[in-house]
């Protein structure tokens, strides 16, 4: 089983759609899987690679004000 690296992001609507697109792009570049789940507060974005998670976190900084590490 692969190690899972997740971030919880507080976003909605168009902002969440843009983040899903970025997550897809980052995962495709790294040739890894990714998925989203509901979290208590926000949406959990999970990647199969730490490097992809870090790249996504940097992207999130420019999109949303609240990012939680899970």
């Amino acid at each position: 089983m692969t190690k899972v690296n997740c971030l919880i992001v507080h976003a909605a609507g168009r902002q969440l759609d843009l983040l899903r697109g970025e997550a897809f792009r980052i995962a495709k570049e790294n040739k890894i899987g990714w998925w989203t789940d509901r979290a208590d507060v926000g949406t959990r974005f999970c990647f199969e690679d730490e490097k992809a998670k870090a790249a996504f976190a940097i992207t999130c900084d420019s999109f949303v004000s609240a990012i939680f590490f899970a």
Side-chain angles (χ1 to χ4, degrees), residues 1-68:
M1 184 174 185
T2 60
K3 183 179 176 188
V4 177
N5 301 284
C6 299
L7 290 172
I8 298 174
V9 179
H10 189 269
R14 184 165 189 249
Q15 205 172 46
L16 185 57
D17 291 340
L18 290 171
L19 288 173
R20 284 187 183 120
E22 286 298 308
F24 172 79
R25 182 188 61 76
I26 290 168
K28 186 175 179 182
E29 283 179 4
N30 289 284
K31 297 179 180 156
I32 56 143
W34 74 282
W35 62 94
T36 61
D37 290 323
R38 281 186 166 170
D40 291 337
V41 179
T43 302
R44 181 179 293 114
F45 284 81
C46 298
F47 298 87
E48 293 177 345
D49 180 59
E50 176 67 32
K51 181 180 159 190
K53 175 187 149 188
F56 185 69
I58 292 167
T59 300
C60 287
D61 284 341
S62 64
F63 278 96
V64 296
S65 60
I67 301 171
F68 308 99

